Structure formats: C-alpha cells, structure tokens
Amino acid sequence: MYRHLTSLLLGRRVHQPQFTPVCLRFGSGGCGRWEEEKKEDGIKWIQLEHRGPYFAPLYEPLPEDVQFYYNGKPMKLSLATEEIATFYAKMLDHEYTTKEIFQNNFFNDWRKEMTSAERNIIKDLDKCDFTEIHKYFVDKNEARKALPKEEKQKLKEEADKIQEEYGYCILDGHREKIGNFKTEPPGLFRGRGDHPKMGMLKKRIMPEDVIINCSKDSKIPEPPQGHKWKEVRCDNTVTWLASWTENIQHTLKYIMLNPSSKLKGQKDWEKYEVARRLKDVVHKIRAQYRMDWKSKEMKERQRAVALYFIDKLALRAGNEKEEGETADTVGCCSLRVEHIRLHPELDGQKHVVEFDFLGKDSIRYYNKVSVEEPVFKNLKRFMKNKDPADELFDRLKTSILNKHLQNLMDGLTAKVFRTYNASITLQEQLKALTNSEDSVAEKLLSYNRANRAVAILCNHQRSTPKTHEKSMQNLQAKINAKKQQVEEAQEELKKAEDEFNDTKDAKAGANVEKKKKKLKQLEEQLSKLNVQATDKEENKQIALGTSKLNYLDPRITVACKCPVLLHL
DNA sequence: TCAAACACTTAGAACGGACCGA
DNA sequence: TCGGTCCGTTCTAAGTGTTTGA
C-alpha cells in the first residue's frame, strides 16, 4: 500500500489534498493515466507485451569431492537424484527436516525420482548422510557473502540486467513493473503449520508447463531454445502475464504485475472505496444483525452471530477446505465447537467467549471476549448436542453470508469488514494518540502504536525473531547496570544529605542538589530502558507490515499529517 | 445447486542492505 | 570495523470470492 501511496504522491495524482479522508481523492488532479478512457466492463487491457518468465537456473552438479553417504559409504548419485538430495541437504538446519511428515514425504518423492538401482540401495532415510553436501552449500554461501566489493557489484549488475529485461512489461503503452517475473525454482514444499504435504518435491517448471498471456499484435515472447510454451493466449479479461499449474496442490500460479502498477493501484483504491461505503451503512447492518439474533430461523441466527464476530473481532470469512489436503485451519464460518468455550462469568466479566483456533498460516487465534447476552445464548444453542469436532455454524457457509451482505450493500463481502475495521481503528487511534503540537518523534511513536492496535485486531503475528532472546539479555544487562548506578547515586545523595545535616554548609547544600539532579536523571534513563524492554517484549510476536500494506487506507495517514510520510 | 476451477489478495519467512553504536 | 538491529523487498503459501459447467 505504501508503495502505492508513494507512487500516488510522486505521480501527483493527489494534488493539493485537503487532508481529510473524506474529500481526498486518489484520482483528482487531471493527471493523465487515471483519466485514461474507461475500458469495457471486465476488460483489463488492450495491449500487453512482455518477455515471458525468467526460468530458474538449471542444476549444477556437485564437485567430485562433495559426497553423499549411504550407510556410512560414499555413493555417487545420478544427476536427478543428486539434485533432489541437495534440496534436503540445504534444509538440514531447518526445523522442517526434524518433522516426520516432512521426512516421509521427501523420502517418498525422492525415491520416485531415483534410478531403479538407486532405489534398490537407498531404502532408509536414517542411513542417508547429507552433511557434506550441507557443508558445501553453507561454505558457498559464506564465500558469496565474503566476496570483494567489486565482485558483488558485478553480480548486482547482472541481476539488474535480468530485472531490466524480464522484470517489466508494456501495458497499454506504459512500461509497468512485474511482481514476480521468475518461475519458482524446484525444491521441497514448505507448507505452514501441520501441512500434510510438507517435504513433497516441487518440480522444476518448464516452458512446456507455462501458458503465456499477451496481446495478439504484440511481440510473442520466445520460449528458451529447444522448448515451446504450453499455450499462448490472448485473454484481456485477466491481469496475469503467464501461469502454470504447480504439482503439489495442483493449483494455478501466476506471473502478475507489481503493486506499483496502475492496474493493481486502482484495484487497491477501489477496495478502500468499498470500505468507505461500508462506513455509511455499518450502523444499519449492525442493527439488522442484532435483530436477526432473535430470528425464528436458525440459519439467520447463525448468520447474524457469525457476522457479529466478523465485525467485532475482524475474523476472516472461513471458506470450506478440502480435508487432508492442507493444514487444519479455520475462519469464522468454519469454526468448530471445539474452538470456543463459553464462560457465563470470567475475570469479573459476563458472557465471555474464549476462542482458541488456528487461522490462516496456522497462526493461533486466542482471545477472551465479553459478548452481548443474545450472542452468548445463541452460541449455547448452536453448541447443544454437538460433538467438539462438529461445525459451530452448521447452517452457514461463506457463500450464504456473502450473498446476504451483497443484498445489504453493493460490493460488500465478509473481508470488507476487516479492511473497514482496520482503517477505522487506525483513524480513531491516531485521533486519540496524537496532538498537533507533538514532535515528529512523538507522532511517529503514536503512529506505531496505532499501527500496533490494528495488527492486534487483525491477529497479525510473527514468530519471535531469533535474535530476540539475546537482544533482551543485552537490554536487561543495560537495565541492571543502570539500576546499580541508581543505587550508587542514592547512596551518594544520602551521604551528601548527611554531610549537609552535619555541617549546614552552603557548599554541602549545593552538593545535595547536584546529587538529587543526577539521581533524577538516572531514574529517568532507567524508566526509559524499562519502557523499551516492555515495548520489545510486547512487539516480539506482532507483525506490523501486513496491516500497513493491505489494510490501512493511506489517505488516513495523509489526513493525519503523519510523519511516516517523511520516511517513504 | 454445487463443486471445481480460476483469479486475485493477503500472509509470514527469509533475505539483504543500510545504519548505528561500541 | 564489527556485530546487532531495523526495515524494505522478495518469495510463495494460504486465504477470499467469483465464474464455470455439469
């Protein structure tokens, strides 16, 4: 989003903004591109020309002296088998390779690619020794990092050349940056959480797998020598440039434009416009779902309670998933009885619902929320006579919910609530936390706090950084040292006071004041360090980037004259 | 009507370069 | 100069929501 905002500002698409989120327009200002003639409904482009994807480099065999060992004995592998062995060897340091599912999936897929002779020998993963191969890649990596400046510069220039050549396309006469112009290299599938397919072999993408999408009159990209494309088509109702089907989940992968492109930027703007329209009708929708809590129809009650959760807690919709194909994660509509616990009273609050489930990317959602009484009573009913593994909202599906939302407002779907609530939270927090006379540093702190409130709302988490423990220890050492200094200063002050009491000397009196000042200064420093430690600890599992990028309407940031703009 | 296919957005991990203080 | 930290970018998995077609 910020890249988009930058391009908006730099491109002067926003001219002399009035700094209010309501009247600020993305497209005002008479700058050419946003006013280009509107295309027919569903038509995304007239002209699309590009070079096709940049293919992952071919496998380079290991040097002779780097060996794979089976049962303690060196074993020369065929090229294809060796390549897959390197995928595993490169990951030896990673937690993935300690997981049984990962190991089993890898070993099964690896054996499929072996020659029959190799398959006859290699029957047990525990007898495979990849450590020498692993070390080879670690050393190679180190060597690359230690390269002299000029060598690094040379490598960078080569990468830039590829970026120049393959990283841009021509769309309706404009040069636009492509988001991912490289095919995904082969490797081992890294599914998140308890993914049943982790460790499976992700095969190399060949030109024969790739569908090219470009305009008829454009220069059709050349496939690499000796190869052909799977298909060349001209479909201007879609925005992708190339696509292929991956072999793990058999889903489509696309080469698409960078977020800085006009097409993506416009879509982004439209997303926030829908969220703004929701602002005008959300009170009506809330009144409606409150009414529906009392509906005669169980279907409607479930829909209304689910919508309350989506609105109040910014839960995702929760589409159905194919069992056994992915990690067991849920969203609102797919919640099961086992994911919530009802407490008529908890920690002094009434009607508390305790949520505990794995959401997108297997990130845990844990929350205790006091809900309105009818919601609590309804939940009790929904759970009655059900097993823990049964669906909480058994009469509800995302399609039903979205159909209902569509009737309430044009373009409204469950995900719009997340965008709306995230942006409105930012706006409210900024209003509450900032004063116009604040310094840049204070404003920045407030902005980060507001951003953090949004990240918490949306449950955007990250794994604790590897360096966290150590950096906390360093900080703690600083705190301890400062505490010591404070204690020493306290003693010094006491001594000075005693001296003054004994002598009543003016010089001794001045010394007391001096010591007091020093103590105060040290105490302030200690307090700052303590705040810093708390901040670090609280932030260790919160990811701020996703909300910044996908949920916060940049016009709110502009409207609040936030100093983050200075950092763009 | 429903599931599958498709197109697109949202997500955290990994990485790399800039910066900063010791 | 070195190591730690921060922050933006890249990568690709994992969602959402629409379309298609039986």
Side-chain angles (χ1 to χ4, degrees):
Chain A
M1 187 64 251
Y2 275 68
R3 285 171 297 225
H4 175 54
L5 176 60
T6 317
S7 68
L8 279 174
L9 296 173
L10 295 178
R12 292 184 196 83
R13 282 168 197 154
V14 180
H15 84 139
Q16 300 297 314
Q18 293 295 302
F19 291 119
T20 79
V22 182
C23 65
L24 191 100
R25 294 267 165 82
F26 278 62
S28 65
C31 174
R33 294 219 45 207
W34 286 79
E35 281 75 35
E36 272 173 11
E37 64 184 86
K38 278 249 166 92
K39 293 180 185 75
E40 225 179 288
D41 226 17
I43 301 300
K44 307 286 171 40
W45 47 263
I46 305 297
Q47 180 209 14
L48 177 62
E49 188 168 307
H50 56 93
R51 285 286 309 260
Y54 182 79
F55 285 89
L58 294 175
Y59 176 63
E60 274 180 42
L62 293 170
E64 287 296 322
D65 59 330
V66 180
Q67 307 243 40
F68 165 76
Y69 295 86
Y70 189 73
N71 213 3
K73 292 187 194 114
M75 182 176 170
K76 179 77 188 155
L77 301 173
S78 67
L79 205 63
T81 307
E82 182 187 287
E83 180 181 10
I84 300 164
T86 66
F87 299 156
Y88 194 83
K90 281 179 189 169
M91 290 180 74
L92 280 191
D93 279 342
H94 206 288
E95 205 197 331
Y96 273 120
T97 56
T98 65
K99 295 184 180 178
E100 210 181 319
I101 305 173
F102 189 91
Q103 294 173 353
N104 291 342
N105 284 335
F106 159 72
F107 198 56
N108 274 338
D109 278 6
W110 189 31
R111 277 175 52 85
K112 279 183 211 157
E113 303 299 316
M114 287 177 188
T115 63
S116 54
E118 286 167 336
R119 206 164 24 240
N120 277 334
I121 300 170
I122 304 172
K123 289 182 174 166
D124 183 356
L125 182 62
D126 289 335
K127 291 180 180 162
C128 296
D129 181 354
F130 302 95
T131 49
E132 212 170 289
I133 306 177
H134 174 73
K135 187 177 176 302
Y136 167 72
F137 285 108
V138 171
D139 291 348
K140 208 173 163 186
N141 218 6
E142 291 297 319
R144 189 176 49 84
K145 279 184 197 158
L147 238 38
K149 236 183 176 178
E150 312 78 62
E151 293 287 325
K152 277 189 183 169
Q153 184 58 27
K154 225 170 127 186
L155 287 175
K156 192 175 177 296
E157 278 165 18
E158 278 167 27
D160 288 349
K161 206 179 146 208
I162 293 168
Q163 165 82 39
E164 273 300 304
E165 212 170 316
Y166 290 87
Y168 294 86
C169 67
I170 304 290
L171 194 139
D172 293 344
H174 299 282
R175 191 167 184 257
E176 297 271 31
K177 200 170 173 188
I178 300 170
N180 55 328
F181 61 89
K182 293 173 180 167
T183 61
E184 293 171 16
L188 305 180
F189 178 69
R190 300 181 179 208
R192 311 246 168 96
D194 281 335
H195 200 296
K197 296 191 171 184
M198 64 165 78
M200 284 173 72
L201 175 66
K202 246 181 80 162
K203 292 190 173 167
R204 181 178 290 278
I205 307 303
M206 301 302 286
E208 286 71 14
D209 302 317
V210 174
I211 301 172
I212 297 288
N213 192 27
C214 61
S215 47
K216 273 191 183 127
D217 53 351
S218 72
K219 203 172 154 226
I220 310 289
E222 286 286 322
Q225 220 178 7
H227 291 277
K228 346 180 244 202
W229 302 120
K230 181 179 182 185
E231 185 191 330
V232 176
R233 68 170 76 153
C234 170
D235 181 356
N236 67 356
T237 65
V238 295
T239 65
W240 53 267
L241 284 64
S243 72
W244 65 87
T245 303
E246 52 86 23
N247 66 295
I248 307 280
Q249 332 223 51
H250 310 289
T251 60
L252 279 158
K253 295 263 182 170
Y254 301 95
I255 288 189
M256 285 194 187
L257 294 169
N258 187 274
S260 62
S261 62
K262 179 190 168 191
L263 223 47
K264 290 275 186 194
Q266 220 160 15
K267 256 319 229 351
D268 210 27
W269 171 74
E270 282 164 16
K271 172 181 80 185
Y272 290 116
E273 285 301 291
V274 177
R276 276 177 62 190
R277 280 198 284 121
L278 174 58
K279 186 172 184 283
D280 298 330
V281 296
V282 75
H283 60 284
K284 266 196 215 162
I285 293 175
R286 286 173 179 158
Q288 168 85 58
Y289 67 56
R290 284 197 165 87
M291 294 274 288
D292 290 345
W293 290 341
K294 292 174 270 177
S295 168
K296 281 182 198 154
E297 291 260 350
M298 183 60 108
K299 229 166 138 181
E300 280 187 11
R301 286 186 181 224
Q302 292 197 355
R303 193 184 66 198
V305 171
L307 186 52
Y308 170 73
F309 285 160
I310 284 170
D311 182 25
K312 185 180 168 77
L313 305 173
L315 298 190
R316 293 187 186 84
N319 280 329
E320 293 161 287
K321 291 170 72 176
E322 221 176 311
E323 224 174 298
E325 290 292 298
T326 58
D328 178 20
T329 61
V330 294
C332 186
C333 295
S334 51
L335 279 170
R336 298 192 295 263
V337 169
E338 62 197 341
H339 295 131
I340 63 165
R341 281 178 67 189
L342 301 181
H343 305 277
E345 212 174 320
L346 187 73
D347 305 330
Q349 285 189 305
K350 279 192 166 179
H351 310 124
V352 175
V353 183
E354 185 180 359
F355 292 85
D356 193 355
F357 61 90
L358 296 181
K360 183 176 178 180
D361 293 315
S362 294
I363 299 289
R364 186 181 179 204
Y365 183 91
Y366 183 79
N367 202 358
K368 285 185 262 188
V369 197
S370 171
V371 300
E372 293 175 45
E373 195 180 0
V375 171
F376 197 81
K377 283 189 172 165
N378 269 315
L379 286 170
K380 249 185 182 170
R381 272 183 73 172
F382 302 161
M383 290 165 83
K384 208 172 170 185
N385 300 325
K386 279 188 191 168
D387 289 333
D390 289 341
E391 288 196 335
L392 178 64
F393 303 116
D394 56 307
R395 311 276 174 90
L396 185 66
K397 280 199 289 184
T398 51
S399 51
I400 297 173
L401 177 64
N402 281 336
K403 212 170 174 183
H404 171 67
L405 293 174
Q406 186 63 41
N407 288 334
L408 298 177
M409 189 193 103
D410 183 37
L412 185 61
T413 61
K415 83 194 266 284
V416 180
F417 281 87
R418 239 167 111 80
T419 312
Y420 163 70
N421 279 312
S423 276
I424 204 82
T425 301
L426 178 79
Q427 187 166 317
E428 284 166 2
Q429 288 286 308
L430 285 176
K431 207 173 159 193
L433 296 170
T434 52
N435 295 308
S436 52
E437 63 272 13
D438 283 348
S439 69
V440 170
E442 285 168 332
K443 278 190 178 173
L444 197 56
L445 183 67
S446 305
Y447 189 87
N448 288 337
R449 283 188 174 149
N451 191 173
R452 195 158 88 186
V454 177
I456 290 169
L457 173 75
C458 294
N459 200 38
H460 289 143
Q461 295 185 29
R462 57 173 180 170
S463 56
T464 309
K466 282 175 197 148
T467 52
H468 177 77
E469 198 67 30
K470 205 176 165 210
S471 84
M472 278 310 276
Q473 277 171 7
N474 291 345
L475 199 52
Q476 196 54 50
K478 272 189 190 174
I479 290 172
N480 292 343
K482 198 58 79 181
K483 270 185 188 162
Q484 177 105 32
Q485 283 178 302
V486 169
E487 277 168 27
E488 282 165 11
Q490 279 167 341
E491 274 172 32
E492 280 177 35
L493 174 62
K494 195 168 177 301
K495 260 190 212 165
E497 280 171 341
D498 289 347
E499 198 187 332
F500 177 68
N501 286 338
D502 289 345
T503 61
K504 299 288 177 204
D505 177 31
K507 204 173 159 191
N511 194 33
V512 169
E513 286 312 306
K514 200 174 133 192
K515 297 293 175 192
K516 268 188 188 167
K517 204 173 157 190
K518 191 183 170 192
L519 177 63
K520 198 179 164 212
Q521 197 181 13
L522 285 168
E523 279 173 342
E524 275 171 11
Q525 286 171 348
L526 177 63
S527 145
K528 258 190 192 173
L529 283 172
N530 277 324
V531 169
Q532 212 180 325
T534 314
D535 204 45
K536 215 181 187 106
E537 190 58 35
E538 281 178 6
N539 252 346
K540 72 175 180 188
Q541 280 183 304
I542 298 171
L544 300 178
T546 303
S547 49
K548 233 179 230 175
L549 209 59
N550 299 309
Y551 288 103
L552 305 180
D553 191 330
R555 291 170 293 186
I556 295 168
T557 303
V558 173
C560 292
K561 299 182 184 173
C562 278
V564 277
L565 288 169
L566 302 170
H567 297 262
L568 288 172

